[in-house]
Amino acid sequence: MTRTETSDAPHPPGEPATSSGPPEGSGPSGGALAHGLKQRHLSMIALGGVIGAGLFVGSGAGIAAAGPAIVLAYAASGALVMLVMRMLGEMSAARPASGSFSVHAERALGPWAGFTAGWIYWTLLCVAIATEATAAAKIMTGWLPETGQWMWVALFMLVFCATNLAQVRNFGEYEFWFAAVKVLAISAFLVLGGLAIAGLLPGTDSPGAGNLTGDGGFFPTGTEGLIVGLLASVFAFGGLETVTIAAAESEKPVSGVAKAVRTAVWRIALFYVGSMLVIVTLIPWQDESVLSGPYTAVLDHLGIPAAAQIMNVVVLIALLSAMNANIYGASRMSYSLVERGEGPAFLNRVSAQGVPRYAVVASSLFGFVAVLLNFFWEKTVFQWLLNMVGAATLVVWGFIAVSQFRTRRRLEREAPEKLVVRMWLFPGLTIVALAGIAAILLLMLREGDTRTQLAFTAGLTVVLAVAGYLRQRRRPQTPAPADGRPARGS
């Protein structure tokens, strides 16, 4: 199989993208990506991807900024994420690819767009691996203070690198059980919180609406607080894209991604908006314990023994789950980019087990180096890395929205039968999503920290876009886009 014949390359005119089986992809070694993920893996990856460490820990800052109005902030950002995932699901169900939105951007906008979206996302995931490894290590040293933080970081990195090197089913099994624990934890929290609000939990009285309307009302900090809460909430949804990357290695990629995307709506509404409503109903938003850990604060309020340690276990699992998923996502994204000629060729090699091992090692190595940068230059070099990817999620969402806008028209003309998942009220809601992304980027200019992140991310995006465009211009021939027009840069 030649490089232009892989699943991640744009399909030439008249060549239908298969929907009967998983897409193929091969590197110089002659191997192909395995298709070892079962539907139960994919379903739990999608389910667990909604529940990240940012929800359990980071939501406290949003509540402190917006008060009870944080419910509206999470509802608004959740609605935007629903639209983005629906757009991505439409494209991924029509043409599954391990490069996901990077491949879709290349097909719709040209190789420069796929290069930019893919490498900025890879950088985002690798930096996230570093932050998650560091945070997980801090929890472990809290339990075992005589151990060094570096030991736990090294252990976690080695374990999940090895897991991803073995076979894709290992990744799926780890994520399945990690997700099961997170879903069980958040479900138990919602049940206990709901019973307490209704006054049905022994030893507790219903708080009524006192915490929602008291202490300054539902909007105690006004529009300004709501904006800060919105910015805090929107980045808690990062990581949902992994399910469309994983779908390409599942047994039935089309039906798998379609099912995962279709159930994203109630998951977001239940887990995020529902838990925020439980927290601000049961606990006064100004309570200092909410800022340090809103879920722990609620469990303490309900008299749950060892609440802090229970949440530490859940957060640790969420962090390890994110590490595992990010190593997987980064390796598949880099593999896909190289498969399309957008990166160093040695990363293209695939093992006999169908794993892009060089891509896994490279992604893990970058993450490990970033951990070292965090240890030694937390306030300088590592902070630069964090700033560079601070708004990267929004950049990726922007590429998804623009790509879907262009891809949908082509699919309607050429292959309407591939529209297994359809974007709601197209093109109206696609335009609404683009406007929402632009509005959040503009709101980031209002705050000092987010303004700095926006500037760094914009710089990285421009550098990647220019590099991608120059590569596109130098390339003597590029694969033809799916609509049959002349190839860009050829």
Side-chain angles (χ1 to χ4, degrees), residues 303-320:
I304 304 298
Q309 293 306 320
I310 291 173
M311 287 311 304
N312 273 337
V313 172
V314 174
V315 171
L316 177 64
I317 290 173
L319 289 167
L320 297 181

Side-chain angles (χ1 to χ4, degrees), residues 91-167:
M91 294 184 291
S92 297
R95 289 168 178 155
S98 61
S100 187
F101 51 83
S102 174
V103 175
H104 305 319
E106 178 173 334
R107 287 168 172 161
L109 306 172
W112 73 269
F115 179 92
T116 305
W119 284 118
I120 197 172
Y121 192 70
W122 181 82
T123 306
L124 168 64
L125 293 185
C126 289
V127 174
I129 291 168
T131 58
E132 289 147 4
T134 304
K138 287 180 179 177
I139 292 176
M140 295 305 300
T141 53
W143 288 335
L144 301 169
E146 68 279 4
T147 59
Q149 190 170 311
W150 67 270
M151 296 168 52
W152 293 108
V153 169
L155 176 63
F156 294 147
M157 293 297 297
L158 288 173
V159 166
F160 291 112
C161 180
T163 298
N164 279 274
L165 283 173
Q167 54 181 332

